[in-house]
Amino acid sequence: MELKPYRLNVGALLFNDAGLVLVARRAGMPNSEGAAGGWQLPQGGVDEGEDLRAAVLRELAEEIGTAKAEIVAEHPDWLTYDFPPELAERGFRIAQRYRGQKQRWFALRFTGTDADIRLDADPHPEFDAWRWARIEELPGLAVAFKRDIYAALARDFMPLARRLGGA
């Protein structure tokens, strides 16, 4: 596993006007406790030579059906996580090819309405449900192998969530 590279990736904390962040339930992927799904933030791979800011907006459009958002902050560090070996064993293609993901995270202010969020916009949707959540909920919603990343995001973007929510 150590010999495999990390996949370059971007992630989005999409905030509404109340300072809540969009989380979506992964379709067809068991979480670490064996139950279907697992809540996560929108994220995805970066194409060769693609600008990271363009990539995060493209990923939003692909995964939640809209890119009605403006980038308001960028996490200063690249964050990484490793895929658990059982993902590769179960045929999860990305885990067969990569050790894990190296991610740049962005905070974005949602400029649309809830009706703009369309999980069915892609012919092969990644998510089957979505909701707005408090940022401090993120670590508890994530699958085990992403929990440390989500805890760091919650800690580092908490001040922004409070400002956006008017607290």
Side-chain angles (χ1 to χ4, degrees), residues 41 75 79-82 103 105 138-156:
L41 300 165
H75 196 279
L79 303 176
T80 60
Y81 68 85
D82 290 347
Q103 301 179 303
W105 284 90
L138 292 180
L141 294 173
V143 294
F145 63 94
K146 292 183 182 182
R147 258 183 219 134
D148 289 345
I149 296 267
Y150 281 33
L153 294 171
R155 177 193 67 233
D156 296 343

PDB file of all heavy atoms in Angstrom, residues 41 75 79-82 103 105 138-156:
ATOM      1  N   LEU A  41     -18.637  15.304   2.869  1.00  0.00           N
ATOM      2  CA  LEU A  41     -18.627  16.572   2.162  1.00  0.00           C
ATOM      3  C   LEU A  41     -18.327  16.295   0.692  1.00  0.00           C
ATOM      4  O   LEU A  41     -17.639  15.320   0.377  1.00  0.00           O
ATOM      5  CB  LEU A  41     -17.541  17.470   2.753  1.00  0.00           C
ATOM      6  CG  LEU A  41     -17.708  17.796   4.242  1.00  0.00           C
ATOM      7  CD1 LEU A  41     -16.413  18.377   4.809  1.00  0.00           C
ATOM      8  CD2 LEU A  41     -18.873  18.745   4.455  1.00  0.00           C
ATOM      9  N   HIS A  75      -8.212  26.066   2.945  1.00  0.00           N
ATOM     10  CA  HIS A  75      -7.402  25.517   4.035  1.00  0.00           C
ATOM     11  C   HIS A  75      -5.939  25.664   3.640  1.00  0.00           C
ATOM     12  O   HIS A  75      -5.573  25.379   2.500  1.00  0.00           O
ATOM     13  CB  HIS A  75      -7.763  24.045   4.297  1.00  0.00           C
ATOM     14  CG  HIS A  75      -7.265  23.575   5.613  1.00  0.00           C
ATOM     15  ND1 HIS A  75      -5.968  23.172   5.811  1.00  0.00           N
ATOM     16  CD2 HIS A  75      -7.883  23.463   6.815  1.00  0.00           C
ATOM     17  CE1 HIS A  75      -5.811  22.825   7.065  1.00  0.00           C
ATOM     18  NE2 HIS A  75      -6.957  22.990   7.710  1.00  0.00           N
ATOM     19  N   LEU A  79      -4.267  18.028   3.191  1.00  0.00           N
ATOM     20  CA  LEU A  79      -4.652  17.024   4.184  1.00  0.00           C
ATOM     21  C   LEU A  79      -4.721  15.674   3.483  1.00  0.00           C
ATOM     22  O   LEU A  79      -5.206  15.586   2.354  1.00  0.00           O
ATOM     23  CB  LEU A  79      -5.995  17.383   4.815  1.00  0.00           C
ATOM     24  CG  LEU A  79      -6.062  18.771   5.477  1.00  0.00           C
ATOM     25  CD1 LEU A  79      -7.476  19.054   5.973  1.00  0.00           C
ATOM     26  CD2 LEU A  79      -5.061  18.894   6.607  1.00  0.00           C
ATOM     27  N   THR A  80      -4.234  14.626   4.140  1.00  0.00           N
ATOM     28  CA  THR A  80      -4.225  13.304   3.517  1.00  0.00           C
ATOM     29  C   THR A  80      -4.920  12.278   4.401  1.00  0.00           C
ATOM     30  O   THR A  80      -4.948  12.406   5.623  1.00  0.00           O
ATOM     31  CB  THR A  80      -2.788  12.810   3.241  1.00  0.00           C
ATOM     32  OG1 THR A  80      -2.077  12.732   4.467  1.00  0.00           O
ATOM     33  CG2 THR A  80      -2.064  13.711   2.269  1.00  0.00           C
ATOM     34  N   TYR A  81      -5.464  11.277   3.743  1.00  0.00           N
ATOM     35  CA  TYR A  81      -5.948  10.093   4.445  1.00  0.00           C
ATOM     36  C   TYR A  81      -5.688   8.873   3.581  1.00  0.00           C
ATOM     37  O   TYR A  81      -5.588   8.968   2.361  1.00  0.00           O
ATOM     38  CB  TYR A  81      -7.431  10.203   4.824  1.00  0.00           C
ATOM     39  CG  TYR A  81      -8.412  10.203   3.683  1.00  0.00           C
ATOM     40  CD1 TYR A  81      -8.874   9.012   3.124  1.00  0.00           C
ATOM     41  CD2 TYR A  81      -8.918  11.394   3.171  1.00  0.00           C
ATOM     42  CE1 TYR A  81      -9.792   9.015   2.082  1.00  0.00           C
ATOM     43  CE2 TYR A  81      -9.832  11.409   2.132  1.00  0.00           C
ATOM     44  CZ  TYR A  81     -10.266  10.206   1.593  1.00  0.00           C
ATOM     45  OH  TYR A  81     -11.171  10.206   0.567  1.00  0.00           O
ATOM     46  N   ASP A  82      -5.550   7.734   4.243  1.00  0.00           N
ATOM     47  CA  ASP A  82      -5.338   6.464   3.556  1.00  0.00           C
ATOM     48  C   ASP A  82      -6.658   5.710   3.462  1.00  0.00           C
ATOM     49  O   ASP A  82      -7.472   5.753   4.395  1.00  0.00           O
ATOM     50  CB  ASP A  82      -4.328   5.595   4.314  1.00  0.00           C
ATOM     51  CG  ASP A  82      -2.917   6.151   4.249  1.00  0.00           C
ATOM     52  OD1 ASP A  82      -2.649   7.052   3.435  1.00  0.00           O
ATOM     53  OD2 ASP A  82      -2.067   5.672   5.026  1.00  0.00           O
ATOM     54  N   GLN A 103      -5.662  16.101  -0.196  1.00  0.00           N
ATOM     55  CA  GLN A 103      -6.765  17.021  -0.466  1.00  0.00           C
ATOM     56  C   GLN A 103      -6.458  18.475  -0.113  1.00  0.00           C
ATOM     57  O   GLN A 103      -5.848  18.764   0.913  1.00  0.00           O
ATOM     58  CB  GLN A 103      -7.988  16.605   0.358  1.00  0.00           C
ATOM     59  CG  GLN A 103      -8.461  15.210   0.058  1.00  0.00           C
ATOM     60  CD  GLN A 103      -9.650  14.844   0.915  1.00  0.00           C
ATOM     61  OE1 GLN A 103      -9.574  14.895   2.135  1.00  0.00           O
ATOM     62  NE2 GLN A 103     -10.742  14.470   0.273  1.00  0.00           N
ATOM     63  N   TRP A 105      -8.817  21.684   0.721  1.00  0.00           N
ATOM     64  CA  TRP A 105     -10.209  21.973   1.089  1.00  0.00           C
ATOM     65  C   TRP A 105     -10.517  23.456   0.949  1.00  0.00           C
ATOM     66  O   TRP A 105      -9.686  24.307   1.281  1.00  0.00           O
ATOM     67  CB  TRP A 105     -10.470  21.516   2.525  1.00  0.00           C
ATOM     68  CG  TRP A 105     -10.608  20.032   2.594  1.00  0.00           C
ATOM     69  CD1 TRP A 105      -9.618  19.117   2.792  1.00  0.00           C
ATOM     70  CD2 TRP A 105     -11.810  19.291   2.404  1.00  0.00           C
ATOM     71  NE1 TRP A 105     -10.146  17.845   2.744  1.00  0.00           N
ATOM     72  CE2 TRP A 105     -11.477  17.921   2.518  1.00  0.00           C
ATOM     73  CE3 TRP A 105     -13.136  19.648   2.153  1.00  0.00           C
ATOM     74  CZ2 TRP A 105     -12.431  16.911   2.389  1.00  0.00           C
ATOM     75  CZ3 TRP A 105     -14.070  18.649   2.032  1.00  0.00           C
ATOM     76  CH2 TRP A 105     -13.720  17.300   2.147  1.00  0.00           C
ATOM     77  N   LEU A 138     -19.491  17.273  11.905  1.00  0.00           N
ATOM     78  CA  LEU A 138     -18.779  16.604  10.813  1.00  0.00           C
ATOM     79  C   LEU A 138     -18.011  15.350  11.230  1.00  0.00           C
ATOM     80  O   LEU A 138     -18.170  14.309  10.586  1.00  0.00           O
ATOM     81  CB  LEU A 138     -17.851  17.579  10.085  1.00  0.00           C
ATOM     82  CG  LEU A 138     -18.535  18.686   9.293  1.00  0.00           C
ATOM     83  CD1 LEU A 138     -17.498  19.576   8.629  1.00  0.00           C
ATOM     84  CD2 LEU A 138     -19.494  18.123   8.272  1.00  0.00           C
ATOM     85  N   PRO A 139     -17.181  15.391  12.267  1.00  0.00           N
ATOM     86  CA  PRO A 139     -16.423  14.173  12.593  1.00  0.00           C
ATOM     87  C   PRO A 139     -17.322  12.976  12.911  1.00  0.00           C
ATOM     88  O   PRO A 139     -17.015  11.851  12.515  1.00  0.00           O
ATOM     89  CB  PRO A 139     -15.586  14.575  13.808  1.00  0.00           C
ATOM     90  CG  PRO A 139     -15.482  16.061  13.725  1.00  0.00           C
ATOM     91  CD  PRO A 139     -16.781  16.516  13.114  1.00  0.00           C
ATOM     92  N   GLY A 140     -18.434  13.204  13.573  1.00  0.00           N
ATOM     93  CA  GLY A 140     -19.336  12.113  13.926  1.00  0.00           C
ATOM     94  C   GLY A 140     -20.123  11.555  12.756  1.00  0.00           C
ATOM     95  O   GLY A 140     -20.636  10.439  12.833  1.00  0.00           O
ATOM     96  N   LEU A 141     -20.213  12.301  11.670  1.00  0.00           N
ATOM     97  CA  LEU A 141     -20.943  11.847  10.489  1.00  0.00           C
ATOM     98  C   LEU A 141     -20.059  11.072   9.513  1.00  0.00           C
ATOM     99  O   LEU A 141     -20.552  10.297   8.707  1.00  0.00           O
ATOM    100  CB  LEU A 141     -21.546  13.056   9.747  1.00  0.00           C
ATOM    101  CG  LEU A 141     -22.630  13.827  10.488  1.00  0.00           C
ATOM    102  CD1 LEU A 141     -22.990  15.087   9.712  1.00  0.00           C
ATOM    103  CD2 LEU A 141     -23.849  12.963  10.707  1.00  0.00           C
ATOM    104  N   ALA A 142     -18.762  11.294   9.611  1.00  0.00           N
ATOM    105  CA  ALA A 142     -17.824  10.737   8.635  1.00  0.00           C
ATOM    106  C   ALA A 142     -17.528   9.266   8.891  1.00  0.00           C
ATOM    107  O   ALA A 142     -17.577   8.799  10.025  1.00  0.00           O
ATOM    108  CB  ALA A 142     -16.512  11.530   8.679  1.00  0.00           C
ATOM    109  N   VAL A 143     -17.175   8.560   7.822  1.00  0.00           N
ATOM    110  CA  VAL A 143     -16.660   7.195   7.963  1.00  0.00           C
ATOM    111  C   VAL A 143     -15.344   7.284   8.729  1.00  0.00           C
ATOM    112  O   VAL A 143     -14.667   8.315   8.724  1.00  0.00           O
ATOM    113  CB  VAL A 143     -16.478   6.499   6.598  1.00  0.00           C
ATOM    114  CG1 VAL A 143     -17.821   6.263   5.903  1.00  0.00           C
ATOM    115  CG2 VAL A 143     -15.538   7.264   5.696  1.00  0.00           C
ATOM    116  N   ALA A 144     -14.980   6.209   9.385  1.00  0.00           N
ATOM    117  CA  ALA A 144     -13.840   6.210  10.306  1.00  0.00           C
ATOM    118  C   ALA A 144     -12.547   6.732   9.665  1.00  0.00           C
ATOM    119  O   ALA A 144     -11.815   7.506  10.286  1.00  0.00           O
ATOM    120  CB  ALA A 144     -13.636   4.816  10.876  1.00  0.00           C
ATOM    121  N   PHE A 145     -12.262   6.350   8.423  1.00  0.00           N
ATOM    122  CA  PHE A 145     -10.978   6.732   7.837  1.00  0.00           C
ATOM    123  C   PHE A 145     -10.908   8.201   7.425  1.00  0.00           C
ATOM    124  O   PHE A 145      -9.821   8.708   7.109  1.00  0.00           O
ATOM    125  CB  PHE A 145     -10.575   5.797   6.681  1.00  0.00           C
ATOM    126  CG  PHE A 145     -11.494   5.791   5.493  1.00  0.00           C
ATOM    127  CD1 PHE A 145     -11.258   6.610   4.406  1.00  0.00           C
ATOM    128  CD2 PHE A 145     -12.583   4.932   5.446  1.00  0.00           C
ATOM    129  CE1 PHE A 145     -12.090   6.583   3.297  1.00  0.00           C
ATOM    130  CE2 PHE A 145     -13.417   4.893   4.337  1.00  0.00           C
ATOM    131  CZ  PHE A 145     -13.173   5.726   3.262  1.00  0.00           C
ATOM    132  N   LYS A 146     -12.045   8.919   7.472  1.00  0.00           N
ATOM    133  CA  LYS A 146     -12.038  10.354   7.171  1.00  0.00           C
ATOM    134  C   LYS A 146     -12.230  11.213   8.424  1.00  0.00           C
ATOM    135  O   LYS A 146     -12.190  12.440   8.335  1.00  0.00           O
ATOM    136  CB  LYS A 146     -13.156  10.694   6.172  1.00  0.00           C
ATOM    137  CG  LYS A 146     -12.936  10.131   4.793  1.00  0.00           C
ATOM    138  CD  LYS A 146     -14.037  10.582   3.860  1.00  0.00           C
ATOM    139  CE  LYS A 146     -13.873   9.984   2.481  1.00  0.00           C
ATOM    140  NZ  LYS A 146     -14.918  10.456   1.566  1.00  0.00           N
ATOM    141  N   ARG A 147     -12.430  10.601   9.573  1.00  0.00           N
ATOM    142  CA  ARG A 147     -12.768  11.360  10.787  1.00  0.00           C
ATOM    143  C   ARG A 147     -11.728  12.395  11.180  1.00  0.00           C
ATOM    144  O   ARG A 147     -12.082  13.508  11.575  1.00  0.00           O
ATOM    145  CB  ARG A 147     -13.022  10.405  11.943  1.00  0.00           C
ATOM    146  CG  ARG A 147     -14.481  10.266  12.175  1.00  0.00           C
ATOM    147  CD  ARG A 147     -14.890   9.413  13.328  1.00  0.00           C
ATOM    148  NE  ARG A 147     -16.054   8.697  12.823  1.00  0.00           N
ATOM    149  CZ  ARG A 147     -16.284   7.432  12.944  1.00  0.00           C
ATOM    150  NH1 ARG A 147     -15.458   6.683  13.624  1.00  0.00           N
ATOM    151  NH2 ARG A 147     -17.350   6.894  12.415  1.00  0.00           N
ATOM    152  N   ASP A 148     -10.450  12.054  11.091  1.00  0.00           N
ATOM    153  CA  ASP A 148      -9.411  13.013  11.481  1.00  0.00           C
ATOM    154  C   ASP A 148      -9.423  14.242  10.574  1.00  0.00           C
ATOM    155  O   ASP A 148      -9.255  15.371  11.043  1.00  0.00           O
ATOM    156  CB  ASP A 148      -8.025  12.363  11.455  1.00  0.00           C
ATOM    157  CG  ASP A 148      -7.820  11.363  12.587  1.00  0.00           C
ATOM    158  OD1 ASP A 148      -8.610  11.369  13.561  1.00  0.00           O
ATOM    159  OD2 ASP A 148      -6.858  10.573  12.499  1.00  0.00           O
ATOM    160  N   ILE A 149      -9.638  14.030   9.283  1.00  0.00           N
ATOM    161  CA  ILE A 149      -9.716  15.158   8.337  1.00  0.00           C
ATOM    162  C   ILE A 149     -10.914  16.037   8.706  1.00  0.00           C
ATOM    163  O   ILE A 149     -10.804  17.263   8.770  1.00  0.00           O
ATOM    164  CB  ILE A 149      -9.875  14.653   6.888  1.00  0.00           C
ATOM    165  CG1 ILE A 149      -8.651  13.873   6.466  1.00  0.00           C
ATOM    166  CG2 ILE A 149     -10.205  15.791   5.931  1.00  0.00           C
ATOM    167  CD1 ILE A 149      -7.570  14.612   5.767  1.00  0.00           C
ATOM    168  N   TYR A 150     -12.065  15.413   8.954  1.00  0.00           N
ATOM    169  CA  TYR A 150     -13.274  16.182   9.254  1.00  0.00           C
ATOM    170  C   TYR A 150     -13.151  16.917  10.591  1.00  0.00           C
ATOM    171  O   TYR A 150     -13.678  18.020  10.748  1.00  0.00           O
ATOM    172  CB  TYR A 150     -14.504  15.280   9.212  1.00  0.00           C
ATOM    173  CG  TYR A 150     -14.980  14.992   7.798  1.00  0.00           C
ATOM    174  CD1 TYR A 150     -14.094  14.896   6.727  1.00  0.00           C
ATOM    175  CD2 TYR A 150     -16.318  14.823   7.523  1.00  0.00           C
ATOM    176  CE1 TYR A 150     -14.535  14.642   5.441  1.00  0.00           C
ATOM    177  CE2 TYR A 150     -16.766  14.567   6.229  1.00  0.00           C
ATOM    178  CZ  TYR A 150     -15.869  14.484   5.197  1.00  0.00           C
ATOM    179  OH  TYR A 150     -16.311  14.248   3.922  1.00  0.00           O
ATOM    180  N   ALA A 151     -12.442  16.325  11.545  1.00  0.00           N
ATOM    181  CA  ALA A 151     -12.206  17.010  12.819  1.00  0.00           C
ATOM    182  C   ALA A 151     -11.333  18.245  12.587  1.00  0.00           C
ATOM    183  O   ALA A 151     -11.608  19.321  13.150  1.00  0.00           O
ATOM    184  CB  ALA A 151     -11.551  16.057  13.818  1.00  0.00           C
ATOM    185  N   ALA A 152     -10.302  18.120  11.759  1.00  0.00           N
ATOM    186  CA  ALA A 152      -9.443  19.269  11.442  1.00  0.00           C
ATOM    187  C   ALA A 152     -10.228  20.351  10.713  1.00  0.00           C
ATOM    188  O   ALA A 152     -10.089  21.547  11.013  1.00  0.00           O
ATOM    189  CB  ALA A 152      -8.243  18.812  10.604  1.00  0.00           C
ATOM    190  N   LEU A 153     -11.077  19.960   9.771  1.00  0.00           N
ATOM    191  CA  LEU A 153     -11.883  20.935   9.038  1.00  0.00           C
ATOM    192  C   LEU A 153     -12.852  21.653   9.976  1.00  0.00           C
ATOM    193  O   LEU A 153     -13.015  22.874   9.891  1.00  0.00           O
ATOM    194  CB  LEU A 153     -12.647  20.250   7.905  1.00  0.00           C
ATOM    195  CG  LEU A 153     -11.791  19.675   6.781  1.00  0.00           C
ATOM    196  CD1 LEU A 153     -12.643  18.828   5.840  1.00  0.00           C
ATOM    197  CD2 LEU A 153     -11.064  20.781   6.021  1.00  0.00           C
ATOM    198  N   ALA A 154     -13.497  20.894  10.856  1.00  0.00           N
ATOM    199  CA  ALA A 154     -14.441  21.505  11.807  1.00  0.00           C
ATOM    200  C   ALA A 154     -13.709  22.506  12.698  1.00  0.00           C
ATOM    201  O   ALA A 154     -14.192  23.625  12.915  1.00  0.00           O
ATOM    202  CB  ALA A 154     -15.130  20.424  12.633  1.00  0.00           C
ATOM    203  N   ARG A 155     -12.554  22.128  13.200  1.00  0.00           N
ATOM    204  CA  ARG A 155     -11.775  23.008  14.076  1.00  0.00           C
ATOM    205  C   ARG A 155     -11.316  24.257  13.312  1.00  0.00           C
ATOM    206  O   ARG A 155     -11.488  25.381  13.779  1.00  0.00           O
ATOM    207  CB  ARG A 155     -10.569  22.237  14.614  1.00  0.00           C
ATOM    208  CG  ARG A 155      -9.643  23.070  15.490  1.00  0.00           C
ATOM    209  CD  ARG A 155      -8.314  22.375  15.755  1.00  0.00           C
ATOM    210  NE  ARG A 155      -7.554  22.277  14.503  1.00  0.00           N
ATOM    211  CZ  ARG A 155      -7.053  21.143  14.027  1.00  0.00           C
ATOM    212  NH1 ARG A 155      -7.220  20.011  14.659  1.00  0.00           N
ATOM    213  NH2 ARG A 155      -6.394  21.138  12.886  1.00  0.00           N
ATOM    214  N   ASP A 156     -10.753  24.052  12.125  1.00  0.00           N
ATOM    215  CA  ASP A 156     -10.128  25.157  11.407  1.00  0.00           C
ATOM    216  C   ASP A 156     -11.126  26.105  10.749  1.00  0.00           C
ATOM    217  O   ASP A 156     -10.824  27.290  10.567  1.00  0.00           O
ATOM    218  CB  ASP A 156      -9.150  24.617  10.362  1.00  0.00           C
ATOM    219  CG  ASP A 156      -7.988  23.863  11.011  1.00  0.00           C
ATOM    220  OD1 ASP A 156      -7.750  24.025  12.222  1.00  0.00           O
ATOM    221  OD2 ASP A 156      -7.318  23.085  10.290  1.00  0.00           O
TER     222      ASP A 156
END
